[in-house]
Structures are given as structure tokens and as C-alpha cells.
Amino acid sequence: APVTGRLTLQAGRLQNQSGLLQNRIDTLNNLLAGKRERLTRNFMAMEEALATLQGQQGAITSLASAAASWRQALGNRGSQNR
């Protein structure tokens, strides 16, 4: 086969390989975009859950403080009656 024929065949093979690699890159980019979107949604849900838990913690702390004050007031009232 003439040299130019071999070079043409080789160039064709390389172009084909390049196209296959580009398709693979595109597929991986799409997979990564999907994973990124899913992880972002999960992170946002986690942030919302954390904010809810922190709010509940504040409420529980307030209730515990109120209960301690109430106990102390009852204790003081009991000692005054003695």
C-alpha cells in the first residue's frame, strides 16, 4: 500500500478513537453532573435537618431551664412554709 494510504488509514483510526474518547468524556461528565446534583440536594436536606435539630435543641434547653426554675421556686416555697 502506498504511504499516503497508510497515513490516511492511521488518521482515520485516530479520528475514530478520538470520537470514542470524546463520547466517553461526555458520558462521564453527564454522570458527574447527576452525582453533583444529587449530592447538592442531599447536602441541602442535611442543612435543613440540622437547622431543625438546632431549633429543637433550643426549645429543649428553654424547657429544661424553665423546669429547673419551677423546681427551685417550688423548693423555696416549701422551705418558707417550714
Side-chain angles (χ1 to χ4, degrees), residues 45-60:
M46 182 206 59
E47 287 282 300
E48 289 175 19
L50 182 59
T52 299
L53 289 172
Q54 287 172 335
Q56 290 173 351
Q57 179 186 19
I60 289 170

Side-chain angles (χ1 to χ4, degrees), residues 26-42:
D26 294 342
T27 299
L28 291 172
N29 280 335
N30 288 336
L31 285 171
L32 286 172
K35 286 182 181 188
R36 175 183 225 172
E37 186 177 322
R38 189 179 74 248
L39 289 171
T40 300
R41 279 194 314 266
N42 288 346

